[in-house]
Amino acid sequence: MTTAANSPAPADVLSLSESELELQARARKFADEILQPLEVEAEMNGGHLPADALKTIKEESLKRKLSGGLHAAEHGGNSWTHVEWFLVEEQLGRITNAVSWHMPTAYNVLAHGSPAQIEKYLLPGLRGETHDAYAVTEEHAGSDPSGITTTAVKDGEGWTINGEKWFVTYGDVAAVFIVMANAIVDGEPQGTLFLIDADTDGIEVVDNPPFTHTYPHGHPTIRFNDVKVGDDAIIGGLGGGDKLQQDWFSEERLGIAARCGGAMTRLLEETTAWAIEREQGGSRIIDYQGVSFPLADSAADVAAGRLLGLYTARLADAGADPKLIHAKSSMAKLFMSEAANRCADRCLQIFGGRGYMRSNVAERFWRELRVDRIWEGTSEIQRLIIARSLERRGVERVIN
Ligand SMILES: Cc1cc2nc3c(=O)[nH]c(=O)nc-3n(C[C@H](O)[C@H](O)[C@H](O)COP(=O)(O)OP(=O)(O)OC[C@H]3O[C@@H](n4cnc5c(N)ncnc54)[C@H](O)[C@@H]3O)c2cc1C
């Protein structure tokens, strides 16, 4: 087994196997043929697409075995390695307007469910029949989730849940909420995840605000008023919520890095083509350094960030120390999300006035990539995690 101290040589990182290359090409074809043609229509319709388009996305992604990736094949996923998943996420990251959100998916937490929870929530999610939503953040607990005040109090055979969750992605369409609450046991709070059916009495959508991006689903504020659930609503055990959440963050941060890489690649392709074609002042604009150097800087950014992300995925597959993967995922997310924002801004500028039109890919990415510096932990929080890891695990382990 490869460990953190004995990690794969960097030269191995990008030597993709035949099957990895085939999967990458399959995902690219799906993104190009099925998803990309729908972007502008989604943008012009508040993020929404007609029912036949949604049906095609679902059916084609299942048929081409491109959804549910890391989840086990027996549950409807594809049992991918982290590298395989990273390669697919990169291709999905090429697409704006979260058109890929219509592919069947389910949060990784659900894989830790009981057989009954898996049957009820995970399997239909991966068949594309239902959505789940992850509710951790609160009005006064964002970067520091330990400050949550949502409580679960033992009530006879079950629990009574009270609290309010903010920014609940998919909250407007979810069939089930994965809710982080302080289960009060002997007077002490224990961070615990509860699966709560969206149609349970006492659940109230108190706000569904518009956000910068034009996405299909919202991020509403949801209040849980004396919501009653049974013991069987707990996932990951009483007090097991923090550990599951940590695993979720690690994975999702690497996914953000991958998708930002895909976005940067697409931006570079489209902007380079434009800069070669566009002439002003008697020259192609790419011949002006004011245009070509920002492209060069972005190319260097994506090439470097991609190596870091893929290397982290390889280490995760090789069974490296999860704490190290956590730090490296933070580095990959920090670097790629910041780089992707720089890249989108540069590309918008190179498109000139056209870059400010919503039909332009650079304009859409310029708005959409902004949240990648905020969700799943802000850039500042990633820096705190990396710095703490430097102290605890040593510089050499963190950067190699
Ligand atoms: C579109 C969208 C979708 C989201 N989806 C979900 C979801 O599905 N489920 C969910 O639970 N949450 C979700 N979130 C919430 C998201 O994870 C939080 O917004 C994020 O963690 C930041 O928390 P906050 O907004 O409360 O900002 P705050 O924590 O209040 O931070 C404000 C500022 O202070 C900085 N800051 C805070 N603490 C420190 C520190 N110790 N050191 C340095 N700087 C610091 C932050 O970096 C930030 O710049 C979503 C957010 C958005 C915008």
Side-chain angles (χ1 to χ4, degrees):
M1 186 177 84
T2 306
T3 64
N6 169 30
S7 41
D12 294 340
V13 170
L14 280 184
S15 55
L16 300 177
S17 68
E18 290 275 308
S19 70
E20 286 167 345
L21 287 169
E22 185 281 323
L23 176 62
Q24 183 187 45
R26 190 162 19 114
R28 172 69 189 259
K29 197 164 156 36
F30 173 76
D32 285 353
E33 288 180 0
I34 305 291
L35 304 181
Q36 193 173 315
L38 298 165
E39 291 175 328
V40 176
E41 184 179 358
E43 178 62 41
M44 300 306 161
N45 289 295
H48 303 295
L49 289 168
D52 62 331
L54 306 189
K55 188 164 176 280
T56 303
I57 294 170
K58 269 181 202 163
E59 287 178 359
E60 287 294 325
S61 58
L62 287 167
K63 195 169 90 188
R64 299 179 194 211
K65 293 194 169 300
L66 288 170
S67 57
L70 282 169
H71 281 290
E74 71 202 80
H75 294 152
N78 280 301
S79 301
W80 286 333
T81 63
H82 286 84
V83 167
E84 290 171 328
W85 168 74
F86 189 95
L87 294 171
V88 173
E89 290 298 312
E90 274 189 319
Q91 298 310 317
L92 301 181
R94 296 174 61 83
I95 307 303
T96 65
N97 297 88
V99 175
S100 65
W101 284 16
H102 299 293
M103 296 166 71
T105 180
Y107 285 114
N108 69 355
V109 165
L110 293 183
H112 299 272
S114 65
Q117 288 170 332
I118 286 174
E119 181 75 28
K120 185 171 179 192
Y121 300 113
L122 179 56
L123 269 51
L126 294 180
R127 287 195 298 262
E129 293 162 10
T130 56
H131 267 303
D132 46 359
Y134 208 137
V136 180
T137 306
E138 299 181 2
E139 182 176 8
H140 302 293
S143 295
D144 178 11
S146 69
I148 64 162
T149 57
T150 296
T151 53
V153 176
K154 194 74 181 151
D155 176 13
E157 290 300 294
W159 299 83
T160 299
I161 297 180
N162 276 289
E164 186 176 287
K165 296 294 185 180
W166 279 45
F167 305 116
V168 184
T169 298
Y170 294 117
D172 49 346
V173 292
V176 60
F177 296 109
I178 306 165
V179 180
M180 178 63 95
N182 285 323
I184 309 299
V185 180
D186 298 330
E188 289 298 314
Q190 296 198 17
T192 302
L193 288 173
F194 288 84
L195 298 179
I196 308 181
D197 290 318
D199 58 4
T200 310
D201 285 346
I203 298 180
E204 182 191 353
V205 177
V206 291
D207 195 13
N208 196 3
F211 287 82
T212 302
H213 51 220
T214 316
Y215 274 13
H217 310 311
H219 316 278
T221 308
I222 298 187
R223 191 174 293 149
F224 297 84
N225 303 306
D226 286 330
V227 172
K228 312 270 185 206
V229 293
D231 272 334
D232 59 355
I234 293 176
I235 183 164
L238 196 58
D242 292 335
K243 164 79 179 80
L244 289 189
Q245 195 162 291
Q246 187 92 330
D247 293 349
W248 154 247
F249 278 145
S250 224
E251 180 180 312
E252 188 49 26
R253 286 170 186 160
L254 195 54
I256 288 172
R259 291 190 291 276
C260 283
M264 280 192 268
T265 307
R266 166 116 180 260
L267 281 163
L268 274 175
E269 286 167 2
E270 298 217 9
T271 314
T272 303
W274 157 258
I276 291 168
E277 174 206 316
R278 178 72 170 168
E279 290 186 6
Q280 286 295 287
S283 293
R284 305 179 312 164
I285 61 170
I286 200 167
D287 295 327
Y288 299 121
Q289 287 184 355
V291 169
S292 60
F293 281 16
L295 290 173
D297 285 341
S298 296
D301 272 346
V302 67
R306 196 162 182 266
L307 275 176
L308 174 59
L310 267 176
Y311 186 53
T312 305
R314 281 259 189 258
L315 283 178
D317 288 335
D321 178 357
K323 292 197 168 81
L324 198 67
I325 298 300
H326 189 59
K328 285 184 177 292
S329 298
S330 285
M331 279 201 292
K333 191 228 184 219
L334 171 65
F335 182 81
M336 289 300 258
S337 63
E338 296 282 335
N341 275 267
R342 289 194 293 273
C343 176
D345 187 68
R346 291 166 182 153
C347 291
L348 187 156
Q349 190 70 13
I350 293 169
F351 274 109
R354 290 164 178 78
Y356 201 59
M357 295 164 72
R358 287 190 175 221
S359 55
N360 186 292
V361 69
E363 190 280 339
R364 297 196 302 279
F365 270 135
W366 179 68
R367 276 181 294 121
E368 293 180 9
L369 290 167
R370 189 63 183 83
V371 78
D372 287 318
R373 293 167 57 195
I374 297 172
W375 59 12
E376 312 311 339
T378 62
S379 289
E380 291 73 31
I381 296 304
Q382 305 314 316
R383 291 185 179 101
L384 286 180
I385 293 168
I386 298 160
R388 208 178 302 129
S389 196
L390 287 173
E391 186 185 347
R392 290 184 186 161
R393 274 158 270 290
V395 174
E396 191 133 338
R397 290 189 76 208
V398 173
I399 66 169
N400 284 318

